[in-house]
């Protein structure tokens, strides 16, 4: 299962008031769309995220992009926007897609999980709330009443098997559909209803903003204070012919080299894996397969900067990293300061948050016999 999320944010709607479209208005100091994005980017089971934006909003969207997050320009209406995003997923390994309204910034992890859970057994699934208020027809006065039994208020994300939902959108008539469930049903897809959430409101009217601010504040007050993660990494590279080594981003003259598919910077590999580990998002080999010739001889800062940008995209900051190099030779002490400085630069953190140290194994084992170098790393990530 490879899951993509599409966040629709191309509308120009200004019913909610304000100077800019509602998805770009600030809510608790961040754009509405950034809150919605964080709900999906914070999950390890979402592989790619597409923001569907208006062409005028490219600069606004730039700050939200990350390794998994890209933008697609929307179309003339909502359906055309979704279709553009679905087409962008063609040719990827996506097997299911969540389509979410970028103006629903308070979508919870639980709602997303319920939709994904129902997709295990249905080609479509969407959250909704049973209508509990009485329903009237009328204008200034009530002219009639409607039965509410069996009626639901639809929410997002609406999830579907891919490419079935792409086919459904391609086949859909030009008649405007209220949402993607309507498009899916027109194509014969069965859509399960899962429990929605009263707080998963769609910002539509001016009063919705202060309400969303209150809900966010309450969530922060009652939720876990912060998410603190510790990840570890371990790596070994074998000595081979050469006249230098790369260790923690430093080129060190040495009568042998380290063998590997990339530049074999064992310290940077261990640290990258520690960050992936803290995120529970795999390891270097998963993101940069050794079978892919693009990474042959690659400088290892590519892996480290990918790992840290994945952390940032998921809302985490790196607060500390500790790397231990295990070898008899070369002596690490004279290079440790420059190694710390380079890692701190690549990770955009202060050098006081980065430790590089070394140990020998008292001439025991492969490191002791000087057959290769091992490295251990620990990374601590914090999400407020
Ligand atoms: Mg390695």
């Amino acid at each position: 299962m490879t899951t993509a999320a599409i966040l629709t944010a191309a509308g120009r709607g200004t019913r909610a008031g304000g100077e800019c479209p509602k998805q770009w208005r600030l809510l608790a100091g961040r754009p509405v769309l950034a809150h919605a994005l964080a709900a999906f980017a914070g999950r390890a089971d979402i592989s790619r995220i597409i923001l569907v934006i208006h062409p005028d909003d490219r600069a606004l969207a730039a700050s939200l992009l990350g390794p998994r997050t890209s933008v697609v320009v929307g179309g003339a209406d909502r359906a055309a926007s979704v279709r553009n995003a679905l087409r962008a997923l063609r040719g990827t390994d996506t097997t299911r897609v969540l389509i979410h309204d970028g103006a629903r910034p308070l979508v919870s992890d639980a709602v997303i999980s319920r939709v994904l859970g129902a997709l295990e057994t249905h080609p479509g699934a969407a959250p909704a709330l049973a209508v509990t208020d009485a329903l009237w027809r009328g204008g200034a006065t009530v002219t009639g009443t409607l039965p509410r039994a069996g009626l639901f208020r639809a929410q997002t994300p609406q999830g579907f098997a891919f490419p079935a939902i792409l086919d459904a959108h391609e086949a859909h008539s030009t008649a405007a559909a209220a949402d993607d469930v309507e498009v899916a049903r027109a194509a014969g897809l069965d859509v399960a209803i899962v429990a929605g959430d009263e707080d998963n409101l769609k910002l539509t009217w001016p009063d919705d903003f202060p309400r969303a601010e209150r809900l966010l504040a309450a969530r922060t007050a009652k939720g876990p204070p912060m998410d603190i993660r510790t990840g570890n990494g371990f790596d070994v590279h074998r000595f081979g012919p050469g006249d230098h080594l790369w260790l923690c981003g430093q080129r060190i003259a040495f009568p042998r080299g380290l063998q590997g598919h990339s530049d074999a910077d064992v310290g940077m590999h261990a640290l990258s894996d520690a960050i992936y580990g803290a995120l529970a998002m795999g390891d270097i080999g998963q993101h940069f397969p050794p079978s892919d010739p693009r990474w042959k001889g690659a400088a290892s800062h590519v892996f480290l900067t990918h790992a840290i940008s994945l952390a940032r995209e998921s809302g985490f900051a790196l607060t500390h990293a500790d790397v231990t190099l295990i070898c008899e030779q070369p002596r690490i002490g004279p290079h440790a300061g420059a190694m710390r400085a380079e890692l701190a630069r690549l990770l955009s953190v202060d050098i006081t948050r980065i430790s590089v140290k070394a140990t020998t194994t008292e001439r025991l084992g492969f490191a002791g016999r000087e057959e290769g170098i091992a490295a251990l790393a620990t990374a601590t990530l914090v999400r407020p």
Side-chain angles (χ1 to χ4, degrees):
M1 285 289 184
T2 303
T3 306
I6 294 170
L7 273 62
T8 58
R12 299 283 89 185
T14 50
R15 276 182 297 176
E19 315 232 298
C20 62
K22 59 188 177 180
Q23 64 272 29
W24 296 110
R25 272 184 65 181
L26 295 186
L27 184 68
R30 297 157 70 207
V32 166
L33 181 60
H35 290 278
L37 172 60
F40 293 89
R43 296 179 62 106
D45 55 359
I46 306 281
S47 301
R48 50 180 69 84
I49 303 169
I50 296 179
L51 307 178
V52 190
I53 63 163
H54 190 275
D56 293 349
D57 296 339
R58 283 184 185 280
L60 286 169
S63 67
L64 301 181
L65 304 187
R68 289 173 295 161
T69 309
S70 57
V71 298
V72 161
V73 170
D77 56 22
R78 189 187 171 286
S81 291
V82 171
R83 204 161 51 235
N84 285 356
L86 290 170
R87 285 174 179 165
L89 292 171
R90 220 163 17 201
T92 69
D93 61 352
T94 301
T95 55
R96 54 191 192 179
V97 61
L98 300 173
I99 305 172
H100 183 67
D101 193 325
R104 290 186 191 268
L106 295 172
V107 60
S108 68
D109 222 27
V111 166
I112 296 171
S113 292
R114 285 198 286 269
V115 173
L116 289 175
L119 283 180
E120 302 285 336
T121 49
H122 294 77
L129 293 167
V131 172
T132 53
D133 297 325
L135 293 178
W136 296 340
R137 199 185 298 283
T141 58
V142 178
T143 58
T145 58
L146 294 168
R148 67 185 172 217
L151 291 184
F152 287 85
R153 290 185 287 137
Q155 298 189 333
T156 69
Q158 300 181 348
F160 306 95
F162 189 84
I165 188 64
L166 171 61
D167 296 340
H169 265 275
E170 297 286 11
H172 196 70
S173 68
T174 50
D179 61 9
D180 301 292
V181 165
E182 186 176 336
V183 175
R185 292 195 69 256
L189 294 184
D190 180 32
V191 180
I193 300 176
V194 302
D197 179 354
E198 276 301 344
D199 291 354
N200 184 18
L201 72 162
K202 181 175 180 178
L203 301 185
T204 308
W205 306 106
D207 281 354
D208 292 337
F209 278 80
R211 185 176 160 212
E213 296 261 9
R214 285 195 300 276
L215 289 168
L216 271 175
R219 191 184 278 186
T220 310
K222 76 173 181 221
M226 53 177 61
D227 189 351
I228 302 174
R229 309 275 192 96
T230 306
N232 70 64
F234 177 72
D235 196 27
V236 174
H237 281 265
R238 177 193 296 273
F239 281 125
D243 61 3
H244 69 278
L245 313 169
W246 284 98
L247 288 174
C248 294
Q250 293 304 298
R251 188 184 195 279
I252 298 172
F254 195 69
R256 286 178 287 174
L258 285 174
Q259 295 180 335
H261 189 70
S262 66
D263 65 8
D265 187 331
V266 63
M268 219 180 266
H269 293 184
L271 181 51
S272 302
D273 273 350
I275 295 171
Y276 290 128
L279 294 169
M281 290 186 184
D283 57 19
I284 291 178
Q286 183 183 320
H287 296 284
F288 300 91
S291 54
D292 188 332
R294 274 184 299 168
W295 316 121
K296 181 151 180 58
S300 294
H301 61 73
V302 172
F303 311 144
L304 189 63
T305 52
H306 177 267
I308 194 67
S309 54
L310 203 51
R312 292 212 183 89
E313 184 183 51
S314 306
F316 284 96
L318 180 129
T319 57
H320 179 255
D322 184 17
V323 180
T324 302
L325 298 167
I326 303 167
C327 57
E328 303 287 335
Q329 299 271 1
R331 282 181 41 75
I332 300 302
H335 305 283
M339 290 175 175
R340 292 175 64 205
E342 176 63 1
L343 295 178
R345 185 186 71 80
L346 291 168
L347 296 167
S348 302
V349 298
D350 192 82
I351 192 169
T352 58
R353 295 183 181 276
I354 305 293
S355 159
V356 174
K357 57 196 194 305
T359 186
T360 71
T361 54
E362 300 288 338
R363 301 221 152 265
L364 298 170
F366 69 85
R369 293 189 297 271
E370 300 190 35
E371 294 167 3
I373 297 182
L376 283 168
T378 306
T380 304
L381 302 183
V382 176
R383 179 163 59 189

